[in-house]
Amino acid sequence: MAFLTVAERTIAYRDSGEAALPAVLLAHPLGMSQDVWEDVVAALRGRFRCVTWDLPGHGASSGLTEAVTPRALAEDALALADALGLARFHFVGTSVGGVVGQQLLIQCPERLGDVVLTNTGAIIGTPDNWRTRASRVRKEGLAAMADEIVPRWFSEAFAQGDAAAYTGWKVQLARTDGESYARLCEMLAETDFTDQLRGVTGPVRLLGGREDLSTPPETLKTLASQFGDARLEVLENIAHVPSVEVPEAIAKRLRTWLGDEHVDENGVSYAAGLETRKQVLGDEHVARASENATTLDAPFQNMITRMAWGELWGNDDLSRTERSMITLAVLAALGRDGELELHLKTAQRIGLSEAQLRQALMHVAIYAGVPAANHAFSMAKKLGWGNSL
């Protein structure tokens, strides 16, 4: 976990760190923490650079001492993105995390790729209920209210099937800063995005749970009507926090929805292939290749961009780290030093570890010959792989 100071508050966050991968920011629900995304992030590893953070007063982030607005929470997200050098990113948010996403869509749509909002609404609950809860939290404390609040997060099947996790989230709620929670309740009492989202043109997906009491399917349907073409899916037998109940199902959808490019009878577009090529090899390398192209090899550059980078590296059946290992092994086995050097340089950008590189080259030694592997190891060490014993 790392920390960032924004407006004299401390934000606790995690960054999976793969600079060459598309970035996605994931925002958690009220009363929980960034840990709701842990299993989802693990399933997305090698495909996305995942950034999560704790909302004010939640997890390890410092609390609120004054009123807060959706814009302020969105500014936290943007400050985190700026600190990590993310000019553009996908966004996923649940509950109040979805409120942050709606504010970002209104405030800075140019910063966003694909947006997935789950278990949220243009309006969540009623103002009176939120103000009442804020008052009770200040008087009674979250620990005393945990048995009342947490059952609204999960389906009955989850509560009975994973009692330890169910109890654990009660503990997490009890540790949340009560004043911050109350101020966020008061924010939700005032939040109404009705008619503010109609001009949004970016790709938006909505996801809900059939058993969600806090943001039931009707709330998601109302939100969907605010967008021009947002698509809504409702998961059966799931309540308010699907990333905890069915993380693999959520990860599977995110792998499909985030950065999903249209593929027609002509295959992946040149633009999609170019974006993948830049993510893996870096903008500077791709710019040099484009600048050096002539009438002789321009069609070749177009072909490899569409086929190698669009069709192959852009395919989701393998992660980019897995593709990097395969590519390095093939290039080492064939002695293609020029391309091998390039891919050794970029493998770390993709998130390849030293252990993964070592195993790929040891496979080369067994199946393609020790001299080829020895040469590849030597090249890797010259390029900065490995530390002195």
Side-chain angles (χ1 to χ4, degrees):
M1 186 182 298
F3 297 90
L4 177 71
T5 300
V6 177
E8 298 184 351
R9 286 190 293 105
T10 299
I11 297 175
Y13 71 93
R14 294 189 182 100
D15 172 20
S16 63
E18 306 93 329
L21 300 183
V24 53
L25 269 62
L26 302 101
H28 68 79
L30 180 66
M32 304 185 85
S33 73
Q34 62 182 308
D35 290 335
V36 301
W37 300 112
E38 183 176 6
D39 291 339
V40 174
V41 168
L44 295 178
R45 193 170 305 281
R47 292 175 170 84
F48 296 96
R49 178 182 182 179
C50 295
V51 178
T52 62
W53 75 102
D54 290 322
L55 294 175
H58 293 60
S61 288
S62 60
L64 294 167
T65 57
E66 56 187 21
V68 68
T69 64
R71 175 174 284 273
L73 296 182
E75 291 294 343
D76 284 352
L78 292 173
L80 180 56
D82 291 342
L84 297 176
L86 306 178
R88 186 173 169 83
F89 50 87
H90 302 305
F91 184 89
V92 183
T94 297
S95 188
V96 71
V99 169
V100 177
Q102 292 173 70
Q103 179 64 42
L104 289 170
L105 283 166
I106 295 167
Q107 182 175 334
C108 56
E110 73 282 355
R111 298 286 300 269
L112 302 175
D114 294 299
V115 173
V116 179
L117 306 177
T118 96
N119 307 80
T120 191
I123 302 173
I124 300 177
T126 67
D128 286 346
N129 284 347
W130 284 121
R131 293 187 184 107
T132 298
R133 185 182 292 189
S135 177
R136 288 186 59 198
V137 167
R138 289 188 174 107
K139 292 177 182 178
E140 303 172 31
L142 285 168
M145 297 178 66
D147 286 336
E148 175 184 338
I149 295 173
V150 172
R152 299 176 64 84
W153 293 348
F154 304 116
S155 66
E156 185 65 26
F158 178 83
Q160 294 180 359
D162 196 342
Y166 186 73
T167 301
W169 283 110
K170 289 184 180 180
V171 174
Q172 175 64 59
L173 175 63
R175 290 177 175 173
T176 300
D177 177 58
E179 181 60 25
S180 298
Y181 186 100
R183 290 187 182 277
L184 287 167
C185 288
E186 291 168 340
M187 181 198 77
L188 290 173
E190 301 295 330
T191 299
D192 183 351
F193 288 118
T194 303
D195 295 330
Q196 297 185 53
L197 299 163
R198 297 194 185 280
V200 172
T201 58
V204 177
R205 295 266 190 170
L206 304 179
L207 191 65
R210 185 70 64 190
E211 297 187 25
D212 188 351
L213 300 177
S214 300
T215 51
E218 285 303 319
T219 298
L220 271 295
K221 290 179 183 177
T222 300
L223 178 58
S225 70
Q226 299 294 305
F227 295 99
D229 59 353
R231 285 174 281 184
L232 168 63
E233 180 182 358
V234 177
L235 299 174
E236 299 296 330
N237 306 313
I238 300 301
H240 191 58
V241 195
S243 61
V244 172
E245 290 203 47
V246 285
E248 183 50 50
I250 300 305
K252 180 178 180 181
R253 283 164 173 78
L254 295 182
R255 287 194 295 266
T256 301
W257 294 345
L258 301 181
D260 184 25
E261 295 286 348
H262 175 67
V263 182
D264 58 23
E265 63 274 10
N266 296 316
V268 178
S269 69
Y270 173 85
L274 184 63
E275 181 61 26
T276 300
R277 190 179 183 185
K278 289 178 178 179
Q279 290 168 357
V280 175
L281 299 181
D283 290 345
E284 292 184 3
H285 174 86
V286 175
R288 284 196 302 272
S290 298
E291 291 170 1
N292 293 333
T294 68
T295 54
L296 174 64
D297 66 341
F300 170 75
Q301 292 291 334
N302 184 291
M303 179 188 71
I304 62 172
T305 299
R306 287 184 296 103
M307 296 183 66
W309 299 107
E311 299 283 354
L312 194 62
W313 280 85
N315 183 279
D316 194 48
D317 291 341
L318 296 174
S319 71
R320 289 187 183 171
T321 52
E322 291 168 334
R323 292 193 186 280
S324 180
M325 292 175 70
I326 292 171
T327 302
L328 290 168
V330 171
L331 293 173
L334 294 176
R336 303 292 192 255
D337 284 7
E339 286 292 308
L340 177 58
E341 180 177 351
L342 171 65
H343 281 272
L344 283 168
K345 289 178 178 178
T346 60
Q348 288 174 314
R349 284 169 42 83
I350 298 169
L352 197 72
S353 68
E354 179 182 308
Q356 289 172 316
L357 173 61
R358 181 169 53 250
Q359 286 301 314
L361 297 185
M362 290 178 75
H363 272 69
V364 171
I366 296 299
Y367 293 102
V370 169
N374 186 52
H375 180 64
F377 271 118
S378 178
M379 287 185 64
K381 290 163 66 177
K382 289 178 181 178
L383 294 171
W385 284 90
N387 298 306
S388 300
L389 295 175

